[in-house]
Amino acid sequence: MVRPVLTPGSQREASHLAGASGEVAREAPSGGLEVPGPPPVKAVGVSEEATVRKEDIRTAIRDVRPGLQKCFAPLAERGAGDQRVVVRFTLVGQGTQGSFQDADIIESTLNDPLFLSCLLTELSQARFRAPWGTGVVTITYPFVFQSLARDGG
């Protein structure tokens, strides 16, 4: 039986999450992302600068991880192997929530429309915190999907 696993990208892939101080998320011994402090990600908004903490982004995505894995499960069962997808999306503040908008797949090792549609649908369900300040924040986030064979015995 194959079990799909979603893992964070490498340090190089996570460098887009560098905060104002230049600190970068890196692989932790546990296999997750380790972040030195929570410096904000900065992006120029519509009229002013808006920011969002890396940890807030990771928390929102972690919460929808089961749905993302469910999207990949049929491909994992067919032996798709390890796959990488990079998504760019915009967060717009609406009260205390950040509204997920304008999502695009900017890179993918998979050209499966059903999987990519499912991925974006699941991400749209994520509950992001609103960016600090006014304006919008554009996020580029890498996903690595792995097919891990499980021993049935």
Side-chain angles (χ1 to χ4, degrees):
M1 176 170 225
V2 177
R3 179 175 51 96
V5 175
L6 175 63
T7 62
S10 69
Q11 180 176 348
R12 181 182 60 79
E13 293 166 337
S15 64
H16 69 283
L17 292 175
S21 65
E23 295 175 296
V24 177
R26 59 185 181 270
E27 289 289 330
S30 65
L33 282 179
E34 178 180 291
V35 182
V41 176
K42 293 189 177 185
V44 176
V46 174
S47 59
E48 292 181 27
E49 193 172 273
T51 60
V52 63
R53 291 182 338 156
K54 293 184 286 187
E55 186 57 33
D56 292 342
I57 299 297
R58 275 193 299 277
T59 297
I61 290 175
R62 188 178 320 125
D63 290 346
V64 296
R65 184 175 285 176
L68 300 175
Q69 290 173 327
K70 189 175 179 180
C71 293
F72 186 65
L75 297 171
E77 290 291 330
R78 292 194 310 254
D82 295 355
Q83 301 294 330
R84 182 174 184 268
V85 179
V86 180
V87 179
R88 180 181 298 140
F89 58 94
T90 302
L91 288 182
V92 178
Q94 293 183 340
T96 60
Q97 296 291 311
S99 174
F100 176 90
Q101 298 179 2
D102 303 323
D104 289 310
I105 304 295
I106 61 171
E107 181 183 326
S108 178
T109 57
L110 278 168
N111 189 21
D112 185 304
L114 291 175
F115 164 72
L116 297 174
S117 175
C118 182
L119 177 75
L120 293 178
T121 299
E122 289 298 323
L123 286 173
S124 73
Q125 302 303 310
R127 300 182 59 88
F128 295 94
R129 283 190 178 177
W132 295 323
T134 59
V136 299
V137 175
T138 299
I139 309 291
T140 301
Y141 201 93
F143 295 89
V144 176
F145 294 87
Q146 297 176 324
S147 296
L148 297 179
R150 258 195 332 206
D151 185 7

